[in-house]
Amino acid sequence: MHLLDPEHLDLAALASAFPRDFIWGAATSAAQIEGAAFTDGKGASIWDAFCRQPGRIKDASDIDTACDHYHRFRDDIALMRGLGLDAYRFSFSWPRVQPLGEGAWNEAGFAFYDRLIDALLEAGLQPHATLYHWDLPQALHERIGGWLSRDIAPRFADYAAEVARRFGSRLASIATHNEPWCTATLGYETAQFAPGHTSRAESLQVSHHLMLSHGDAIAAMRAETTAKLGIVLNHTPSFPATPSEADRRAARIDDGLNVRWYMDPIFRGAYPADVIEHVGADAPRILPGDLARIGQPLDFLGVNFYTRNLISATGQAAQGPGRRGFTDMGWEVVPEVFAAHLVRLGREYSPPPIYITENGMANADRVVALPQPHVPDAERIAYLSGHLQALATAMGLGVDVRGYFYWSLLDNFEWNSGYTKRFGLFHVDYATQQRLAKDSAHWYHSLIGHHRAKR
Ligand code: IFM
C-alpha cells in the first residue's frame, strides 16, 4: 500500500474516496472528561477509587475535575460544530445514573445526559453512546465482586434497558462495552487499570462475564428501542517478530487472546479452541446456554484501531523489521495494518456494518505562543492522513465502514498515564480548562469540508 504524506495529499481526492453518507466524528468517554465526580448524586466508580491508591496513576492525578465537561458540555459541542463533525461518541457513566449499580436511579444524572443529547441534536450532531467505558460503580464492585460475579450480567442488562427506554429514540447508536479486552486484561491480569488485580484466571472469567452482559444487554435493549445496537472492540492484531515457527505460534495465540477471543463468541458462537487449550486451567467457567446468550445479532461493530503487536516466543521485546514512527504511548504507527485488518475482519467474520469508533495518537503536543497561540502537531496530521488513506483502501476492497471517530475530541485523562498523554484534536490547559484547536483539528475540519462539498 502506497501512502502519500500529508503535504502531497490531495484532500479533496481523499474526501471523495468516502461515500456521501459517511459520517465524521470524534469520541470521548465519561470518566476521562466529565469531572463532577461526586456532583448531583453521582456514585463513586472503580476509577475514582483506583486514583486514590498511591502509585496507580503516573502523575498521581484523579478524575474529580478532568476536563470539566459536565459543566462545559455546551462549549464542547460548539467546538464539535466548529470542526464540522456529523457525530459525537460519548459514554454514559453508570454510577452517575445508578450510584450503586443496582436499585435506585439518579434522576439528576439522567438529566445531564438528557441535556447533552438534546444539545447535540440541536447542533445537528448524531449522538452515539456507549454504556460501559470502564467506570464500574464501586459499590457494585464491593458488594458482588463487580465483573468477577456472573450476577453482574442481569444488572448490566437492567441499566442498558433503562438507558434505551429513556434515550433510545434520540440516539443514533448504543454500544454495550468499550474494549472489553482492556477491562478484563488490564484490569484483572496486568493491574494497570482498575481494579488492579493480577490473575489471568480472573481476567478470563471477567471477559466471559463481560460477553454475557453484552448479550443480555442487547436482548434487553431490543425490547425498548429501534436504535442501532452493537459493541466496540479494540483490535491490536499480533504478528510474529521473526518468521520462526515458535514466533508464529506465539503471535497466533496473542492474536487469539486479543482479537478472536471477543470476535468468535459474538460472530461464530464459540471461543477459539486453540486459545482455550493454551490457557488451560485458567479458562473461564462457561455454562450451557451462555454462548447463545452472547451471540445476539448486532446492527454494527465498532472497531478501535491504534497499532499492532509484534510477538516473540521468548517474550523479549520484539524488534521487527521496518519499524518506523512510534507515538507518545510507544505504539507503532502502522496504517497499512489497519487496512489489512479490516479486510481480514470482512473475510473471516462477515460482520455487520463497521464504525471506526476510535483511532488516534498521543503526541507530545505543546502550545506555541507566536504569532498567535497554536499547537503544531504534524505527527498527528500524518497519523490521521495515513489511517484515512488506509481506511479508504479497505473500503475500496469492499469493507463496509459507515463512519470514523477520531480519538479524542479533547486531551483528557489517559487512565494510568493520568494527564501526561495528549490524544486530543483540542489541547486542554488543565489549569484554566482552556481549549485550543491543534493544527490537526484544522486539518480534520478541512477534510470534512471537502467531503461535505461533494454531498
Ligand atoms: O483513552 C483510551 C480510550 O479510553 C479507550 N481506547 C484507547 C484510548 C487511548 O489509549
Side-chain angles (χ1 to χ4, degrees), residues 36 38-42 70 96 106 108-109 115:
F38 303 100
T39 303
D40 293 340
K42 176 183 166 292
Y70 188 80
R96 190 178 293 291
N106 179 27
R115 294 193 293 275

Side-chain angles (χ1 to χ4, degrees), residues 374-430:
H374 65 292
V375 182
D377 59 342
E379 301 84 352
R380 183 172 288 103
I381 294 173
Y383 185 100
L384 250 169
S385 116
H387 284 79
L388 290 175
Q389 290 178 69
L391 180 55
T393 300
M395 291 172 68
L397 292 170
V399 185
D400 181 3
V401 181
R402 303 289 172 91
Y404 174 89
F405 293 80
Y406 179 78
W407 181 272
S408 179
L409 178 71
L410 305 170
D411 290 341
N412 59 44
F413 176 78
E414 179 54 23
W415 308 109
N416 58 334
S417 299
Y419 297 95
T420 65
K421 303 293 176 194
R422 293 183 178 272
F423 276 89
L425 292 168
F426 287 87
H427 180 276
V428 176
D429 176 335
Y430 295 107

Side-chain angles (χ1 to χ4, degrees), residues 28-29 32 89 133-134 178-179 182 193 234 304 306 329 331 358 360 407-408 412-415 423:
T28 64
S29 87
Q32 291 175 275
R89 174 174 177 248
H133 200 124
W134 310 348
N178 179 71
E179 305 184 345
C182 294
F193 281 11
N234 54 312
N304 293 356
Y306 289 91
M329 296 296 280
W331 297 349
E358 287 181 26
W407 181 272
S408 179
N412 59 44
F413 176 78
E414 179 54 23
W415 308 109
F423 276 89

Side-chain angles (χ1 to χ4, degrees), residues 102-296:
E102 56 192 343
W105 305 111
N106 179 27
E107 292 304 328
F110 276 128
F112 167 68
Y113 295 107
D114 205 46
R115 294 193 293 275
L116 175 69
I117 292 166
D118 275 353
L120 287 166
L121 291 171
E122 271 160 33
L125 288 147
Q126 294 178 18
H128 292 254
T130 301
L131 295 172
Y132 189 75
H133 200 124
W134 310 348
D135 43 359
L136 182 72
Q138 173 71 9
L140 201 56
H141 175 68
E142 287 174 12
R143 211 183 75 71
I144 68 166
W147 294 111
L148 282 167
S149 166
R150 214 181 141 80
D151 295 341
I152 197 165
R155 287 167 172 83
F156 185 69
D158 280 353
Y159 157 54
E162 188 68 19
V163 169
R165 194 174 303 128
R166 291 177 185 242
F167 301 110
S169 62
R170 286 180 283 156
L171 292 172
S173 78
I174 309 178
T176 53
H177 286 282
N178 179 71
E179 305 184 345
W181 178 89
C182 294
T183 304
T185 308
L186 305 181
Y188 291 84
E189 182 174 343
T190 67
Q192 288 158 282
F193 281 11
H197 294 198
T198 52
S199 155
R200 167 168 272 195
E202 280 191 7
S203 149
L204 290 167
Q205 192 61 55
V206 161
S207 71
H208 181 57
H209 295 157
L210 288 163
M211 289 287 90
L212 263 188
S213 73
H214 153 77
D216 286 2
I218 294 285
M221 289 193 290
R222 286 278 180 227
E224 302 292 345
T225 181
T226 53
K228 302 262 182 262
L229 305 180
I231 188 168
V232 172
L233 302 178
N234 54 312
H235 281 181
T236 308
S238 303
F239 297 88
T242 75
S244 77
E245 184 50 35
D247 283 4
R248 292 226 300 258
R249 212 175 312 116
R252 171 96 187 135
I253 291 296
D254 200 71
D255 185 85
L257 283 161
N258 182 306
V259 175
R260 292 182 288 124
W261 188 257
Y262 296 91
M263 289 294 286
D264 284 19
I266 294 175
F267 296 111
R268 291 181 163 175
Y271 284 103
D274 60 335
V275 181
I276 294 268
E277 188 188 329
H278 173 78
V279 299
D282 288 339
R285 189 155 173 267
I286 301 166
L287 299 187
D290 282 1
L291 283 152
R293 272 165 72 183
I294 294 170
Q296 302 290 323

Side-chain angles (χ1 to χ4, degrees), residues 9-42:
L9 185 67
D10 176 348
L11 267 192
L14 176 60
S16 69
F18 294 90
R20 272 173 208 285
D21 54 358
F22 191 83
I23 62 161
W24 301 102
T28 64
S29 87
Q32 291 175 275
I33 66 164
E34 282 181 3
F38 303 100
T39 303
D40 293 340
K42 176 183 166 292

